[in-house]
Amino acid sequence: MSQPEMQPGGPARGEDLSGRPFPLGDWGEPAERLHELYRWVEGNALRTADWYLADRVWKRRGARALRAGTALGSVLGAALPLLDLTGALDGAAGWGYLSLLLAAACMACDRYFGLTSGWMRDVATAQAVQRRLQTLQFDWASESVREVLGPAEGTAGEAAERCLGVLRRFTEDVTELVRAETADWMVEFRSGPAPLVTQGLNTAPQRPEAGGGQTPGTRFPLPPAARPNMPRQRPPEPR
């Protein structure tokens, strides 16, 4: 099996956002161990941002091509019938209607395949990951300066635990960003035409059974009409 091709400054082509094994080592040197964990967390964040930036390339190209086709078809669809009406170009009305159909098809393809929305989600997620990474870098620099100057309070074990907490919170933030983007994609996919057709087939009215007394299109029989309550007459008073 051939090795995946590495892009300069980006993830491997065809590589997915799969988890990587947690680096295990000897905690005899806590400072070196924490530095190794920081490099591992930072590398995963950079790989995630690069994956989203690489994924947006083909979506952006496809979305721009479809939007250009929509704009061109709309312009031609409005201009050709006018040219045919003025007599400047005979028989152009039919081509104008075909251009409008092409514009509608390009817009439908963009919405169906989610190219524009996917491109925007990729850019937003990559920027969010990079923003979290910048915060981590400054927090880690602050912890490193505090370690060099000497902890003002607490022991070395508490300082190491504080550094591990910074790395853990950052990893959870990046994971939550990826999960939110995936949830948005799932919501958009479920709201597409295919799930709607399936839902329409599943909710089709069933034929009533013979003698069931059900009205076509209803699921449960209607309750029988209640008899009206007549007001009771007071008995005659004794004289």
Side-chain angles (χ1 to χ4, degrees):
M1 180 179 293
S2 60
Q3 296 294 332
E5 182 180 356
M6 296 295 296
Q7 297 294 330
R13 183 177 300 175
E15 184 180 0
D16 203 355
L17 289 179
S18 57
R20 292 187 175 182
F22 190 80
L24 300 177
D26 186 13
W27 282 93
E29 297 291 338
E32 297 180 1
R33 182 65 179 146
L34 288 174
H35 182 71
E36 181 183 356
L37 289 178
Y38 170 77
R39 290 299 182 187
W40 178 74
V41 171
E42 185 183 31
N44 287 338
L46 291 175
R47 185 171 61 94
T48 301
D50 290 341
W51 187 89
Y52 279 105
L53 292 177
D55 187 63
R56 73 180 174 93
V57 174
W58 68 272
K59 293 181 181 179
R60 180 183 61 183
R61 294 174 181 174
R64 286 182 175 178
L66 292 176
R67 286 183 174 271
T70 302
L72 181 61
S74 300
V75 171
L76 292 178
L80 291 179
L82 293 178
L83 294 177
D84 190 11
L85 184 61
T86 57
L89 187 61
D90 295 336
W95 292 103
Y97 299 145
L98 184 61
S99 300
L100 289 177
L101 182 60
L102 177 63
C106 291
M107 183 180 299
C109 288
D110 185 17
R111 186 174 181 83
Y112 182 81
F113 293 106
L115 297 180
T116 300
S117 59
W119 167 33
M120 295 172 63
R121 285 198 314 272
D122 290 341
V123 173
T125 306
Q127 291 179 351
V129 172
Q130 291 175 352
R131 186 168 59 251
R132 299 291 197 284
L133 182 58
Q134 291 177 357
T135 304
L136 172 67
Q137 291 171 349
F138 281 102
D139 291 343
W140 192 260
S142 177
E143 294 293 337
S144 300
V145 171
R146 182 182 301 180
E147 182 182 356
V148 172
L149 298 179
E153 57 182 6
T155 60
E158 294 178 353
E161 185 177 358
R162 186 169 55 249
C163 293
L164 289 176
V166 171
L167 297 178
R168 180 179 57 82
R169 286 192 299 270
F170 172 76
T171 305
E172 291 177 353
D173 290 342
V174 174
T175 305
E176 180 63 23
L177 290 174
V178 176
R179 188 206 62 80
E181 190 277 331
T182 306
D184 293 340
W185 174 79
M186 293 175 62
V187 170
E188 181 182 357
F189 179 78
R190 290 175 181 175
S191 61
L196 291 180
V197 173
T198 306
Q199 183 179 2
L201 293 177
N202 293 334
T203 58
Q206 300 179 357
R207 296 180 57 184
E209 298 180 0
Q214 296 185 3
T215 309
T218 60
R219 197 172 174 183
F220 301 100
L222 296 176
R227 297 180 58 184
N229 297 327
M230 300 296 296
R232 295 184 179 180
Q233 298 181 358
R234 297 180 58 185
E237 299 180 356
R239 295 182 179 179

